[in-house]
Amino acid sequence: MEMKKPAPQTTGRHKPRGFLQASENAWEIAFVSPMLIGVIILVLFPILATLVLGFADS
């Protein structure tokens, strides 16, 4: 039976694990935000405007 080697200990010189995840999240937001803005302007705004104007007294 072989004994497992202990995991190497870090000395704090490396970037934290969350750094890569935060960077990936920033890129995801950068690529998705134009699509979200387009959906809001071209789809949601006309729907809301129709509802408001439909129930408004003229």
Side-chain angles (χ1 to χ4, degrees), residues 1-57:
M1 186 164 132
E2 294 181 26
M3 295 193 60
K4 293 182 180 179
K5 293 181 182 178
Q9 295 185 2
T10 59
T11 59
R13 293 184 209 153
H14 301 287
K15 292 180 183 175
R17 279 186 150 187
F19 176 79
L20 183 59
Q21 185 67 29
S23 176
E24 289 176 357
N25 287 343
W27 279 108
E28 291 170 3
I29 291 170
F31 280 107
V32 172
S33 60
M35 186 267 314
L36 291 176
I37 292 170
V39 166
I40 290 170
I41 292 173
L42 298 174
V43 175
L44 295 179
F45 179 72
I47 291 172
L48 292 174
T50 301
L51 288 172
V52 169
L53 293 173
F55 289 109
D57 291 333

